[in-house]
Amino acid sequence: RGKRAFIAGVADDNGYGWAIAKSLAAAGAEILLGTWVPALNIFETSLRRGKFDESRVLPDGSLMEITKVYPLDAVFDCPEDVPEDVKTNKRYAGSSNWTVKEVAESVKQDFGTIDILVHSLANGPEVIKPLLETSRYGYLAAISASSYSFVSLLKHFVPIMNPGGSTISLTYIASERIIPGYGGGMSSAKAALESDTKVLAFEAGRKHKIRVNTISAGPLRSRAAKAIGFIDMMIDYSLENAPLQKELTAEEVGNAAAFLASPLASAITGAVVYVDNGLNAMGVGV
Ligand code: NAI
């Protein structure tokens, strides 16, 4: 039987989530996506109109099949948590069952179980502000969307994951080293995500034989990264200073994720795996 993967955080064909979906599909997995509610309409329309067909091509020439796209907003756990202004917002009112709990229930109803869970999402409304100028609201919003969202996904999806299953998130080295420009509490959010990776590896491992890992990825010109504003500088910096002087492709991160999700990685859990051309290992720029 092929494996079934749920990938949260895909709304176009530029980001890490899309590349991970492709690598998993190339390895034979069935693909389910969770797409942020406000981005759902344009993503599904583009998908239907064939706008992504070129980027759907797999190594064997076939096109990646996406079995189902679920609307998702990972900052809300259940309908009771959704404030009135969001409920009635016209970008949300057209979709239903998009809180984490409801999405897990829908996936269970539709497919029963999954084997692989990928968290490829982050949001920090004040990311362009230095930490010292970040508001409490901005900081907590970054943690809610970028860190607790992973805890919540695991909480609701682990019960429908087959034993031996694997979960993966995406992190960034700004959690452990100073990366000026990665503000708004996003560095704090990634630190929380990495620490939680260890604790959740213990809890989900003992209870359900599920593995939990995170990929610390190098810079990629995704939609989210472009919003931060310093992505071209970070790509140039990596090109100049990393042990491997080549641009990092999303596909390389996708392939690492496919490895971590596979039985080849059956003893790897609680790990932060660097997929960054080795930049993390440098002590000085040269
Ligand atoms: P992306 O823009 O492709 O992915 C971010 C996704 O998160 C988007 O699809 C967005 O719609 C979704 N999202 C935001 N808030 C959400 C919410 N409340 N509920 C559900 N979905 C929500 O950008 P990218 O860069 O591929 O990001 C994926 C992951 O990779 C993130 O965790 C990011 O921090 C991480 N990462 C990115 C790096 C980069 O240079 N692009 C470097 C290291 C890590």
Side-chain angles (χ1 to χ4, degrees):
R1 188 184 71 80
K3 298 213 166 134
R4 187 176 297 118
F6 181 86
I7 300 138
V10 180
D12 60 41
D13 58 350
N14 293 319
Y16 282 134
W18 176 271
I20 292 170
K22 276 183 75 175
S23 293
L24 291 173
E30 177 176 20
I31 303 300
L32 313 177
L33 300 182
T35 299
W36 196 27
V37 188
L40 181 74
N41 224 330
I42 180 151
F43 178 64
E44 284 199 305
T45 306
S46 306
L47 204 56
R48 215 178 318 114
R49 295 202 180 142
K51 213 188 138 213
F52 301 135
D53 283 359
E54 248 175 73
S55 10
R56 280 173 62 208
V57 180
L58 299 175
D60 71 355
S62 68
L63 295 190
M64 166 170 68
E65 287 299 336
I66 297 168
T67 305
K68 189 159 178 180
V69 180
Y70 293 87
L72 167 71
D73 194 321
V75 305
F76 301 112
D77 301 314
C78 56
E80 299 78 63
D81 291 351
V82 183
E84 210 47 45
D85 60 318
V86 176
K87 250 181 229 160
T88 54
N89 181 307
K90 71 173 191 311
R91 292 197 296 175
Y92 282 79
S95 300
S96 52
N97 299 324
W98 41 258
T99 66
V100 177
K101 180 168 179 262
E102 292 169 290
V103 176
E105 281 167 3
S106 303
V107 171
K108 182 180 181 184
Q109 250 174 34
D110 294 343
F111 300 98
T113 60
I114 63 166
D115 305 285
I116 299 163
L117 175 71
V118 178
H119 174 285
S120 182
L121 64 98
N123 206 358
E126 297 180 11
V127 64
I128 57 170
K129 285 192 194 165
L131 187 54
L132 205 45
E133 284 159 35
T134 296
S135 72
R136 184 181 301 269
Y137 162 80
Y139 184 96
L140 294 177
I143 296 271
S144 173
S146 315
S147 317
Y148 188 76
S149 55
F150 184 62
V151 178
S152 180
L153 275 173
L154 247 62
K155 178 174 173 177
H156 293 97
F157 276 86
V158 158
I160 66 161
M161 287 185 75
N162 293 311
S166 173
T167 68
I168 297 164
S169 69
L170 275 299
T171 187
Y172 185 48
I173 195 165
S175 59
E176 39 174 330
R177 304 276 159 73
I178 302 161
I179 310 278
Y182 198 73
M186 277 307 299
S187 57
S188 331
K190 291 306 192 188
L193 183 66
E194 290 174 28
S195 177
D196 295 347
T197 297
K198 298 189 174 85
V199 178
L200 295 169
F202 171 72
E203 296 179 1
R206 287 290 175 91
K207 223 170 153 182
H208 299 279
K209 299 186 167 65
I210 303 290
R211 295 184 292 109
V212 183
N213 294 295
T214 188
I215 292 176
S216 186
L220 174 77
R221 215 176 270 100
S222 65
R223 189 188 166 96
K226 278 188 272 189
I228 305 172
F230 70 164
I231 188 65
D232 291 311
M233 202 184 92
M234 297 319 287
I235 289 171
D236 290 345
Y237 182 88
S238 181
L239 269 175
E240 249 174 59
N241 296 294
L244 301 177
Q245 292 187 296
K246 60 178 179 60
E247 193 148 330
L248 178 72
T249 65
E251 190 188 355
E252 292 174 296
V253 169
N255 289 341
F259 160 70
L260 284 174
S262 81
L264 294 174
S266 56
I268 303 178
T269 193
V272 179
V273 176
Y274 295 93
V275 184
D276 66 347
N277 284 323
L279 185 64
N280 73 91
M282 297 299 295
V284 290
V286 282

